[in-house]
Amino acid sequence: MQSELDKELESLAAFEDELLNIWLEIANADGGKFYPVDLIANAVIKRSIALIAGFCTLIRAKNFICAAPLVRLHLDSLLRFSAIWLVKDCHGLANDIWDGKQVRKLKDKKGERMTDQYLVDCLAKESPWIKSVYEATSGYIHLSKAHIYNAHKPNSESETWQITIGKEDEFIPDDIRIEGCQAMKAITEKLIWYLNGWQQTKNGTHKL
């Protein structure tokens, strides 16, 4: 019988075809014309497919310490692509990103610097879960208590600690891995929503 974790991984991997189809729709929109935002959309789709594939591989290999930061990287794509809807000139922002400028140093149409925290706060207004995912996964980017918890486990009976060293998870239960899968899925679904929004904007049926 297929486990719940396997079902989550299978469901997550299935987004690859959907992302590829969205890219085809974006590429063909407005008679196939190409705009600066298309470059960003292409990069986001490519990065998303790669991160999802890597995440699934690492989860199956019981390497949650490496898999968890990929959730944060996936969220990073969502944060920056969502910034396109916050500026006066979306193609200008796309060109700035192409030129290597850091989004956190650029300002939106309100004059606010688009730092990660600002973008998180903006997105959280419609998707509150983004804050908790951002905070939880950011702990895996820098050495933090998350890594300590993954390597140590208290023994309540003897008041001692178990320690693990190795490439595979020893103290990570499946429900944590499942939560990681669900976070990746939620991020992907939100990204797809924005990608569809750009496709509709490009076709003239939706406004930024």
Side-chain angles (χ1 to χ4, degrees):
M1 182 181 294
Q2 191 179 35
S3 70
E4 185 178 354
L5 178 58
D6 286 334
K7 290 178 182 178
E8 290 289 343
L9 288 168
E10 186 177 290
S11 175
L12 181 57
F15 278 114
E16 180 174 352
D17 287 341
E18 189 171 354
L19 287 164
L20 289 172
N21 287 333
I22 289 172
W23 170 242
L24 288 175
E25 291 176 1
I26 290 173
N28 292 324
D30 195 19
K33 292 180 181 177
F34 202 77
Y35 299 93
V37 173
D38 289 327
L39 287 172
I40 309 304
N42 181 39
V44 164
I45 292 170
K46 165 63 178 171
R47 189 187 194 195
S48 297
I49 291 172
L51 288 174
I52 289 170
F55 178 85
C56 291
T57 297
L58 289 167
I59 289 294
R60 288 193 174 96
K62 295 184 177 180
N63 192 343
F64 188 78
I65 286 179
C66 280
L70 300 190
V71 182
R72 175 64 182 83
L73 294 179
H74 198 31
L75 181 57
D76 179 79
S77 295
L78 172 58
L79 294 179
R80 276 148 183 73
F81 195 64
S82 71
I84 289 170
W85 274 257
L86 300 178
V87 297
K88 292 180 180 179
D89 181 4
C90 61
H91 298 305
L93 174 61
N95 284 326
D96 284 340
I97 296 173
W98 171 258
D99 290 337
K101 295 180 181 178
Q102 297 180 338
V103 173
R104 64 185 177 87
K105 293 183 178 180
L106 303 176
K107 295 182 179 180
D108 68 359
K109 54 191 170 186
K110 296 180 180 178
E112 299 287 344
R113 289 194 182 277
M114 295 185 291
T115 62
D116 281 2
Q117 191 59 62
Y118 180 72
L119 295 175
V120 167
D121 289 342
C122 289
L123 276 173
K125 292 176 182 177
E126 56 187 46
S127 303
W129 56 267
I130 285 173
K131 277 193 175 183
S132 59
V133 171
Y134 176 81
E135 291 169 0
T137 56
S138 291
Y140 281 92
I141 301 299
H142 306 289
L143 186 64
S144 69
K145 66 179 182 180
H147 298 99
I148 297 173
Y149 289 151
N150 288 169
H152 303 79
K153 182 180 180 181
N155 189 325
S156 58
E157 294 181 0
S158 61
E159 296 185 353
T160 59
W161 285 77
Q162 290 179 281
I163 297 175
T164 181
I165 297 176
K167 62 185 179 181
E168 292 187 355
D169 305 321
E170 293 291 337
F171 304 143
I172 302 294
D174 270 358
D175 60 340
I176 297 299
R177 297 188 183 96
I178 289 169
E179 284 183 9
C181 292
Q182 292 171 341
M184 286 291 282
K185 287 168 62 178
I187 294 167
T188 307
E189 288 168 351
K190 195 65 180 179
L191 261 175
I192 288 172
W193 185 84
Y194 276 107
L195 289 164
N196 280 327
W198 167 239
Q199 185 268 337
Q200 293 166 16
T201 298
K202 190 177 173 182
N203 259 338
T205 58
H206 182 71
K207 291 184 179 181
L208 285 176

